[in-house]
Amino acid sequence: MSQVFVCGVGAVSPAGWDVAAMRQALSQGVPLPVEPLLRPGWSKPLRSRPVPAPIGRPAFLSHPRLRRASPITHYAASATLEAVARVQSIAGPHCRLGVISCLNAGCVLYSSRFWAEALQDPATASPLLFPETVFSAPASHVSALLGDTPSVYTLVGDPGTFLQGLSLAIDWLEDRQVDACVVVGAEETNWLLADALWHLEHSAILSGGAGALCLSLNPAWSIGAGLTAITSAHSMTHHTCRTAAVKSMRSELPANQSGDLLCDGTSESFRSSAPELAAWRDWTNPRLSPKRILGEGLMAAAAWQCVAGVDALMQGPYIGVNISLVGGSQQAIGARFERAQPATVPAQSAP
């Protein structure tokens, strides 16, 4: 793998609409407040950690393509713009920027609304809602917001797919299809998702938002961190149980080293976290668990892990961070970020 630099990070979470808000919440270490989420026909509400309303209307919402867009697109757009701000300011309009959108549940709010209308009266169901129900809608809107984007792709899978997105971005960079590539993972909250999650794990608390990383081979665009490794994807099948898959992933990442941080995916749910806790029980260095503070954000939570890990490299004393990402049903996969000093050479428009 070529030397890959992180050029920017972005986040929208229950803590707020930027990385700084998420950093503050994680540093305090206190789980964010839980709010009731009504389920039609039930007197007892479900639980969620929703994204708060932004302070002031974001300027990007004035774009015509975002006029009817769902919250998941708003989250993805905000995180993406934050992540690419540095590259756009240095390289200007000449940078060929790729976009990879990673989703697990996808556009649930508009899907629920559209199919409710279709079931009630198919003749009056709004055709304007349907384009917002497809998985590729956020990537399409974000691409239009950024302008000239030569490569745009959507990956759908369990949360481990976010690291697959980073791997695809590296392929694009090495093939010189793009000069920089932003990978964004996003989800939105809805009672359907909260109910499904409750049936899988009663203690899990649904949340929404987005996280984004911008990658490039150009050292002049680096924020001071590099992506040095992505493990193999260890599938969960009837032949390979979840615990074995997590242990295999963990064996490909460095053991305890001075100055290292572990950013894992454990949460309040002991049952789903048990295999990961067992695989890393010998870890003695600092550990960061974003989902314990922010909630179960599915693909967004996977992106938060990477963003939080990179941000910790930039803000703290760490020299490396291991990302342990255990998907819900498909794979266990990990990544390694290390500190990389930004180059002092003049900025270029291509790596």
Side-chain angles (χ1 to χ4, degrees), residues 224-236:
L227 174 58
T228 58
I230 297 178
T231 73
S232 303
H234 298 273
S235 299
M236 303 171 190

Side-chain angles (χ1 to χ4, degrees), residues 5-11 75-85 87-88 95-102 138-139 142-143 146 149-155 162 165-170 172-173 178-185 210-216 221 303 307:
F5 299 96
V6 179
C7 306
V9 292
Y75 304 155
S78 180
T80 297
L81 290 176
E82 186 179 10
V84 303
V87 167
Q88 288 187 325
C95 176
R96 297 174 303 146
L97 185 63
V99 177
I100 299 175
S101 172
C102 303
V142 169
S143 176
L146 293 175
T149 49
S151 298
V152 182
Y153 209 70
T154 296
L155 297 178
F162 186 76
L166 295 184
S167 182
L168 178 60
I170 294 171
W172 287 3
L173 292 168
V178 294
D179 301 326
C181 186
V182 61
V183 183
V184 56
L213 270 74
C214 184
L215 305 179
S216 177
W221 298 347
V307 172

